[in-house]
Amino acid sequence: MGNFRFGVTLRGVGSRDEWIAKCRRAEELGYDVITVPDHLGTGLFAPFPVLAMAAAVTERPRLGTLVSNVPFYNLALFAREASTTATLLDGRLELGLGAGHMKAEFDAAGLPWQKASERIEYLGESVGYLRKHFEDEGIPMPRLLIAGNSDGVLDLAAEHADAVGFAGLRQQPGKPPGTFKLDNAEAVDERVAYFRTKASRDLEYNMLVQLVEITDDREKAAEHWHELTERSAVADARELLDAPQLLLGSVEEIAGQLEQRRERYGFSYITVFEAALETFAPVIRELQ
């Protein structure tokens, strides 16, 4: 087995001590990467300061954003934040970039909500700007992950990134921006196949897993999740058993699913949400 990297994306909320405890626990459980999202909301920490704190209290995991909402930022200020953090992390930073998808957050920040093509164009400009800034500062460019589902973002990842991030989610037609539906396995096949036609070099493929459930009844778990969530666009809950964004089953079954999905899609860098921090840890041990 082996040849996987495992990450957890932690919510930056609570107290200083709580944040330190979460980071140390993630390292203890064997996670290779600790990431933070970049969202606005009451009580949410800013991403770069908490990454610096995480670096101070851990030794092994790499640290990054999953992902930085680039259209939130003036590029000069974002580059300063990223390069300062890279220096403080001393080679452990993995910089994740995205084009943004939550209109409500732009409204809250008093920023214009641009159409997707304009946000993607700005994301593309950010890559060149960051590379020049890091070069001018004499700092090695951190490992770069670009995540998204659209052709435009995947094109940018194929050209510029070290890793491409998939979540298997897409905007629901006619719904407010940021209202997603879950792709089935065949739809993820299509997105990965599209990316492979654009990528002319080897990259790491990341999957952001939406749910991890350890259970001896995979079918029942799929039916329950299908009933509870509006994210599912599939008509039959049985389709969820093959969806790579969901990990349902015993520890051994989930380990096997990850092996199969690495073969099918190329997903070798697996990230789970904080809610699965403890739940997913036995799978990590199974695959090490």
Side-chain angles (χ1 to χ4, degrees):
M1 298 185 188
N3 299 320
F4 283 101
R5 286 204 309 157
F6 297 109
V8 60
T9 185
L10 300 178
R11 295 181 73 241
V13 294
S15 69
R16 175 183 183 275
D17 288 346
E18 288 169 340
W19 175 251
I20 291 172
K22 284 194 290 190
C23 293
R24 287 177 171 164
R25 183 58 176 159
E27 180 171 34
E28 180 182 2
L29 290 172
Y31 287 92
D32 303 295
V33 189
I34 296 170
T35 57
V36 293
D38 188 2
H39 293 297
L40 295 182
T42 303
L44 291 177
F45 294 156
F48 289 118
V50 296
L51 290 177
M53 172 67 79
V57 300
T58 62
E59 296 181 0
R60 184 184 56 81
R62 297 180 66 83
L63 305 154
T65 53
L66 194 68
V67 289
S68 294
N69 187 349
V70 175
F72 269 172
Y73 297 94
N74 170 283
L75 291 184
L77 300 182
F78 181 71
R80 182 185 65 174
E81 294 290 319
S83 61
T84 299
T85 305
T87 300
L88 295 176
L89 269 57
D90 193 24
R92 293 167 66 190
L93 178 64
E94 297 199 358
L95 189 59
L97 305 179
H101 58 262
M102 301 290 287
K103 181 179 183 298
E105 293 183 334
F106 285 78
D107 293 342
L111 296 171
W113 174 250
Q114 297 178 315
K115 59 185 180 181
S117 61
E118 294 173 336
R119 301 196 314 276
I120 293 169
E121 181 180 3
Y122 192 73
L123 174 62
E125 292 172 3
S126 75
V127 176
Y129 192 99
L130 285 166
R131 291 197 186 282
K132 184 176 187 308
H133 175 83
F134 274 77
E135 181 180 353
D136 290 346
E137 293 292 324
I139 303 169
M141 183 72 183
R143 184 175 174 80
L144 191 65
L145 178 147
I146 295 178
N149 199 56
S150 68
D151 289 359
V153 173
L154 294 178
D155 289 349
L156 288 176
E159 183 176 359
H160 298 292
D162 302 293
V164 56
F166 294 88
L169 302 174
R170 67 180 68 208
Q171 174 68 34
Q172 291 193 35
K175 299 285 187 177
T179 308
F180 297 114
K181 64 180 181 180
L182 185 84
D183 279 345
N184 62 18
E186 289 70 28
V188 177
D189 273 327
E190 185 278 326
R191 288 289 76 196
V192 171
Y194 174 84
F195 179 78
R196 285 173 171 161
T197 67
K198 300 294 182 177
S200 59
R201 55 203 171 84
D202 290 334
L203 287 85
E204 186 176 48
Y205 287 51
N206 172 258
M207 168 52 68
L208 178 58
V209 172
Q210 302 296 312
L211 175 70
V212 180
E213 184 170 339
I214 305 298
T215 176
D216 58 3
D217 192 336
R218 298 186 66 232
E219 290 78 9
K220 183 177 180 180
E223 290 172 2
H224 183 64
W225 198 81
H226 189 257
E227 291 171 358
L228 289 181
T229 183
E230 295 182 357
R231 285 189 170 187
S232 176
V234 301
D236 190 332
R238 286 175 294 183
E239 287 188 74
L240 296 175
L241 297 173
D242 293 325
Q245 314 91 316
L246 308 180
L247 295 173
L248 310 172
S250 68
V251 169
E252 294 77 14
E253 285 175 325
I254 290 175
Q257 291 164 34
L258 290 174
E259 293 279 2
Q260 293 163 8
R261 292 165 186 179
R262 181 177 60 184
E263 180 69 22
R264 177 172 179 174
Y265 302 103
F267 298 140
S268 61
Y269 174 18
I270 307 299
T271 301
V272 300
F273 287 104
E274 181 180 323
L277 175 69
E278 300 285 346
T279 307
F280 188 65
V283 180
I284 296 176
R285 292 193 293 271
E286 181 74 15
L287 287 168
Q288 286 175 335

